[in-house]
Amino acid sequence: METDATGESDVLLQVNDLHKAFGDQEVLKNVSFQVLQGTVSVLIGPSGSGKTTLLRSIAGLEVPDAGTIAIDSVRVDYAQHPGEKQLRKLTAKIGFVFQQHNLFPHMTVLENITEGPIVAQHRSPEEADTEAIALLAQFGLQGREESRPHELSGGQQQRVGIARAVALHPRLLLFDEPTSALDPEVVSDVLTVMRDLADDGWTMVVVTHEMAFARQVADHVAFLDGGVIVEQGKPENVLEHPQEARTQEFLSRIL
Ligand code: ADP
């Protein structure tokens, strides 16, 4: 386990021996994965390798069959069939950004961002509004508070989706292919917002095929294939000098 200069452990997320099957298809096989506080981890791998299932499992959106997930001091052991209350302690620490932004179409941009803080976290509407307005400005969306999602471009909608996740003050931000449903010309706006969040010290796990982002922003890259983490480490090692044949083959196909 890594430690910081004070000798304190700075592991934020620890995933151990995670298993998940859909019917008789084993989608995650014994996955172990660690994320250090303030770092960006990128999950790469072919379609169907289990990336989304791993991310959704961390977020409590899928229930693994076995294994443990711990964030800070909250630890869930799936072999023990954890209850709703225990799962909620874990998921309260997570902000999730979906491939499709999943904004509520009938609400304004501001309401989409403040709904979680006000309803789920019982924060005051004034404080939630002030923070949401600041986040919109930070993400290049000042003045769009009263717009409806359909009045925004896909890239703007996704930036609202990120603001909605950040407004919950999670310990960990998870991104599931946040740019893969976007038109190419707006992808960089979203990646810039994500890079700024990384620079601000957010701890992030990102499933993406954007290799330039992985190379430039990630501290850690994990390559999944067939429900197994085949290779992981620093981006310059995994992406530039992969050791495993399966990683080499995948990278040669997409680069
Ligand atoms: P990736 O994100 O790497 O493309 P996924 O985690 O989405 O991979 O999927 C891994 C495998 O699990 C795929 O074969 C997919 O069809 C299957 N799968 C994912 N979700 C479900 C589900 N809800 N029900 C049945 N099979 C699923």
Side-chain angles (χ1 to χ4, degrees):
M1 193 175 280
E2 303 208 15
T3 56
D4 65 18
T6 61
E8 295 288 310
S9 161
D10 60 355
V11 175
L12 178 63
L13 167 72
Q14 181 75 50
V15 174
N16 277 336
D17 298 331
L18 216 61
H19 287 265
K20 173 71 183 172
F22 291 110
D24 56 10
Q25 187 194 3
E26 249 195 297
V27 174
L28 297 178
K29 305 170 189 166
N30 222 20
V31 171
S32 296
F33 184 64
Q34 191 180 66
V35 173
L36 302 182
Q37 169 112 25
T39 64
V40 177
S41 299
V42 166
L43 302 177
I44 60 170
S47 177
S49 57
K51 304 179 299 294
T52 292
T53 304
L54 174 56
L55 207 68
R56 289 175 58 85
S57 296
I58 296 168
L61 299 169
E62 299 286 354
V63 180
D65 303 314
T68 61
I69 297 178
I71 300 179
D72 296 328
S73 59
V74 177
R75 182 173 176 275
V76 168
D77 182 350
Y78 282 96
Q80 307 288 330
H81 305 293
E84 275 289 311
K85 207 170 149 199
Q86 183 68 5
L87 281 180
R88 260 203 307 274
K89 280 193 207 161
L90 195 74
T91 56
K93 292 174 178 288
I94 289 167
F96 200 94
V97 178
F98 296 87
Q99 182 177 12
Q100 304 276 356
H101 54 75
N102 281 0
L103 299 176
F104 298 115
H106 59 287
M107 290 186 185
T108 65
V109 162
L110 195 72
E111 288 165 347
N112 265 284
I113 299 172
T114 58
E115 202 243 13
I118 295 171
V119 175
Q121 300 182 328
H122 310 296
R123 305 222 312 259
S124 84
E126 294 74 24
E127 180 199 318
D129 279 2
T130 303
E131 190 179 325
I133 291 165
L135 277 173
L136 287 170
Q138 182 187 336
F139 291 178
L141 293 167
Q142 55 276 42
R144 303 315 298 260
E145 289 79 7
E146 299 307 318
S147 301
R148 306 273 162 182
H150 74 269
E151 296 170 313
L152 304 180
S153 73
Q156 290 172 327
Q157 290 174 2
Q158 190 58 300
R159 281 181 276 156
V160 176
I162 298 172
R164 185 175 56 170
V166 169
L168 292 165
H169 298 178
R171 294 278 287 141
L172 178 65
L173 283 172
L174 305 179
F175 296 80
D176 186 12
E177 297 199 30
T179 59
S180 59
L182 299 177
D183 291 333
E185 68 270 20
V186 302
V187 165
S188 67
D189 296 339
V190 173
L191 293 177
T192 298
V193 162
M194 292 169 62
R195 185 190 306 242
D196 289 347
L197 290 172
D199 289 344
D200 287 345
W202 283 87
T203 309
M204 300 164 44
V205 181
V206 184
V207 172
T208 187
H209 296 287
E210 294 288 340
M211 289 301 137
F213 178 85
R215 228 179 268 115
Q216 292 160 16
V217 182
D219 300 289
H220 187 87
V221 173
F223 170 67
L224 265 90
D225 195 13
V228 173
I229 295 185
V230 173
E231 186 164 359
Q232 59 181 324
K234 291 186 187 308
E236 55 268 34
N237 294 336
V238 176
L239 300 178
E240 313 302 336
H241 307 287
Q243 300 297 305
E244 300 292 330
R246 281 197 278 174
T247 322
Q248 291 164 2
E249 197 260 333
F250 171 75
L251 290 172
S252 71
R253 271 190 288 128
I254 64 160
L255 291 177

